[in-house]
Amino acid sequence: MASSQGDTDTFSVDNLLLDNSRKQVGQPCLLDHMEINITEAEKRANSALNIREYYTVYLIETKTLNKEWPAVTRSLGLLWRRYTEFEQLRAYLEVTYPWAIVPPLPEKRPLYTWQNIPNDTFDPDFVDRRRAGLENFLHRIAAHPILSKDQIFLGFLQQEEGWKETVKKTGYLQHAETKLRALSIGVRLKSADPRFDDIKSYATGLHGNLHNLLRIRAKLAAKLFSINKLHQGYGRVFSEWSVVEKDMGDGLQKSGHFFDSIAAGIGTSLEDEELVIDQLKEYLFFSGSLQALCRRQELLQYELEQAQENIKNKEQEKIRVQQGRSGLMSRLFGSVETEEVRDMKLNQLEARIQVGEQAVQDCKLALSDFSHKALQEFDGFQQKKVVDLRDTLATYMSLQIKMARKGLQTWTHIRECIENIP
């Protein structure tokens, strides 16, 4: 965290992005027993059909601190993973633990850019920030008391060969298709859960506010960068002016150097800001995780309502059979079913109603279990969010104080140069 004293502050992308994920307390988790770091990123080429496709891989280093921890299979580990494998891991966790607020991945492509932030996904600064974001993603999962013990996640960290095949065998891809059904279910629900409606509304508000904050900051950074860079013009003019002013030459030349330092220093200051902005982006993406959680709840609610509707239809059909008006043909032509046929239909309907009632109970149990766990997850998320965003915003303010103090110090030097002209 930045100190308000300013000039002696140093900023590490790893510390800024990962510090908060280490602050989780509660049940034991993998992060208590293993160090997880992504130490390197490397650009590679995949040649196929005479087309060279470039991609980035990240080196995951693990070190077991407690060899007796049952979930750990090796003391030291080194393996490379692509971003697509991180996506695969996250998709698996979302399907396997639908009640969990699975941490988001860092941006795949630069968002909220301005003229000094390249759009190139292979830019070294962007790759390094994404490397730190992926490490933060792993730390978030490793700090979770349930997700951190998942065998597929442990394999992601320690299984050098065959991990993709292992995760595909779980069948998560087939289960993931059901998520598509949940996209428009909310408008068809008869009785939406107000608790999850509140979460959905909160997620929308969180996304909107962070989106506006990031958008304004990008515009502000662009203007600040341009303004500070214009001081190079002052530096050039003062240096040229010093050549023709015999008595003022030394003071003008020194002032020109300080103006150049204003222009040169803005890049570093705004780069430090980008590290903090990545933390805000994480919570922007967390809003998507919350909305996905609500869609999964809506799916379970919809399945319950469908099961209840199915019983209602069967009971109505049972009443019609009992009244001897089981179908349109019997009403039109006056045909009457025998008692044996009617009894057989009633028995079949009774059996289907019993099956349907069991399905309703199963749906209620699944929905209740999901809701209980999901609401607990949301409470924990809210607690961590307050700590994370408080620290992130405080860091941003500290950076502004540091930048302002540095600017004040430079302008003070310029004033002294001018005042010392004989």
Side-chain angles (χ1 to χ4, degrees):
M1 188 60 57
S3 167
S4 60
Q5 297 305 311
D7 293 337
T8 59
D9 294 347
T10 57
F11 292 88
S12 161
V13 63
D14 296 327
N15 291 336
L16 281 171
L17 286 175
L18 308 178
D19 195 42
N20 290 332
S21 66
R22 299 178 185 272
K23 295 180 181 178
Q24 303 205 17
V25 295
Q27 301 180 43
C29 61
L30 182 63
L31 205 57
D32 298 324
H33 304 276
M34 176 185 284
E35 288 184 359
I36 304 170
N37 299 290
I38 300 182
T39 55
E40 294 182 34
E42 183 178 290
K43 183 178 179 180
R44 293 183 180 176
N46 181 23
S47 299
L49 300 176
N50 298 321
I51 299 175
R52 291 180 68 83
E53 177 191 20
Y54 292 96
Y55 60 93
T56 305
V57 290
Y58 301 88
L59 181 62
I60 302 175
E61 294 188 10
T62 55
K63 179 181 179 182
T64 301
L65 304 176
N66 179 9
K67 296 181 180 179
E68 296 181 359
W69 179 248
V72 176
T73 60
R74 53 198 298 190
S75 58
L76 293 173
L78 288 172
L79 53 82
W80 295 91
R81 295 288 186 204
R82 294 183 62 173
Y83 186 91
T84 52
E85 291 176 283
F86 283 88
E87 290 180 313
Q88 194 174 6
L89 170 64
R90 188 178 185 281
Y92 160 81
L93 291 174
E94 265 198 326
V95 171
T96 307
Y97 305 93
W99 47 263
I101 302 174
V102 180
L105 291 166
E107 56 193 345
K108 192 168 187 177
R109 294 175 178 81
L111 300 174
Y112 302 97
T113 59
W114 45 283
Q115 71 264 31
N116 202 44
I117 299 299
N119 291 316
D120 181 12
T121 57
F122 296 107
D123 175 77
D125 290 336
F126 174 74
V127 170
D128 189 56
R129 286 181 16 241
R130 189 166 66 179
R131 174 199 61 77
L134 291 172
E135 185 177 293
N136 184 53
F137 168 74
L138 295 180
H139 279 226
R140 293 277 194 194
I141 298 173
H144 194 284
I146 304 300
L147 302 185
S148 65
K149 299 173 185 176
D150 183 88
Q151 291 300 312
I152 296 297
F153 172 60
L154 294 170
F156 183 86
L157 298 175
Q158 301 177 93
Q159 184 179 343
E160 192 164 359
E161 299 292 339
W163 180 82
K164 289 183 180 180
E165 290 69 24
T166 301
V167 70
K168 285 180 181 178
K169 288 179 181 178
T170 64
Y172 85 98
L173 288 173
Q174 288 74 21
H175 293 297
E177 293 177 359
T178 62
K179 292 199 301 181
L180 298 176
R181 294 168 49 198
L183 294 178
S184 60
I185 281 174
V187 298
R188 303 201 302 269
L189 290 178
K190 295 179 180 179
S191 178
D193 190 326
R195 298 171 299 177
F196 286 90
D197 279 348
D198 289 342
I199 294 176
K200 189 192 299 185
S201 297
Y202 170 76
T204 301
L206 178 65
H207 183 277
N209 286 311
L210 286 176
H211 164 73
N212 289 333
L213 191 154
L214 292 166
R215 179 177 54 82
I216 292 170
R217 184 266 164 184
K219 290 183 177 180
L220 184 61
K223 290 183 180 295
L224 191 60
F225 182 80
S226 298
I227 290 172
N228 279 43
K229 283 298 182 182
L230 284 174
H231 286 78
Q232 285 180 327
Y234 277 150
R236 183 179 66 256
V237 170
F238 271 58
S239 295
E240 293 173 353
W241 193 5
S242 68
V243 176
V244 298
E245 294 287 352
K246 181 178 179 182
D247 296 330
M248 300 174 61
D250 188 56
L252 292 173
Q253 187 177 46
K254 288 180 179 179
S255 297
H257 291 322
F258 282 117
F259 281 122
D260 289 338
S261 71
I262 293 175
I266 188 61
T268 301
S269 297
L270 292 178
E271 285 172 8
D272 288 342
E273 276 190 20
E274 288 299 325
L275 312 182
V276 182
I277 295 307
D278 284 339
Q279 292 179 297
L280 295 177
K281 287 179 181 177
E282 181 189 23
Y283 273 92
L284 177 79
F285 303 145
F286 255 125
S287 67
S289 299
L290 294 176
Q291 290 172 339
L293 182 76
C294 293
R295 289 195 295 270
R296 293 193 290 272
Q297 185 275 336
E298 289 173 349
L299 175 61
L300 291 175
Q301 178 72 35
Y302 178 70
E303 290 175 345
L304 172 60
E305 292 181 1
Q306 289 293 97
Q308 292 171 331
E309 184 68 21
N310 180 57
I311 289 182
K312 181 180 178 180
N313 293 335
K314 292 292 184 292
E315 288 176 341
Q316 290 175 346
E317 186 177 352
K318 176 182 174 182
I319 292 173
R320 290 195 298 268
V321 172
Q322 289 173 333
Q323 294 175 343
R325 301 193 301 270
S326 61
L328 178 63
M329 297 301 293
S330 64
R331 294 197 297 272
L332 290 176
F333 301 103
S335 59
V336 178
E337 295 175 334
T338 64
E339 287 296 326
E340 290 81 2
V341 172
R342 188 179 302 174
D343 289 342
M344 181 182 67
K345 285 188 175 181
L346 286 173
N347 290 335
Q348 290 175 343
L349 286 170
E350 285 287 354
R352 291 173 183 172
I353 290 173
Q354 289 181 4
V355 172
E357 288 174 345
Q358 183 59 52
V360 168
Q361 292 303 315
D362 292 343
C363 288
K364 284 183 177 179
L365 182 62
L367 179 60
S368 175
D369 182 63
F370 174 94
S371 299
H372 176 71
K373 292 179 179 178
L375 291 172
Q376 281 189 328
E377 280 277 298
F378 183 68
D379 288 342
F381 166 82
Q382 290 286 56
Q383 293 174 15
K384 293 193 290 291
K385 177 213 64 182
V386 171
V387 175
D388 290 353
L389 290 183
R390 180 196 65 200
D391 291 350
T392 298
L393 294 173
T395 300
Y396 182 80
M397 305 312 163
S398 296
L399 283 171
Q400 305 314 305
I401 293 171
K402 176 184 176 182
M403 192 186 309
R405 284 180 171 164
K406 186 175 180 180
L408 177 61
Q409 184 181 44
T410 302
W411 280 102
T412 300
H413 289 321
I414 293 173
R415 184 188 63 185
E416 291 172 352
C417 290
I418 299 303
E419 289 178 341
N420 290 333
I421 294 175

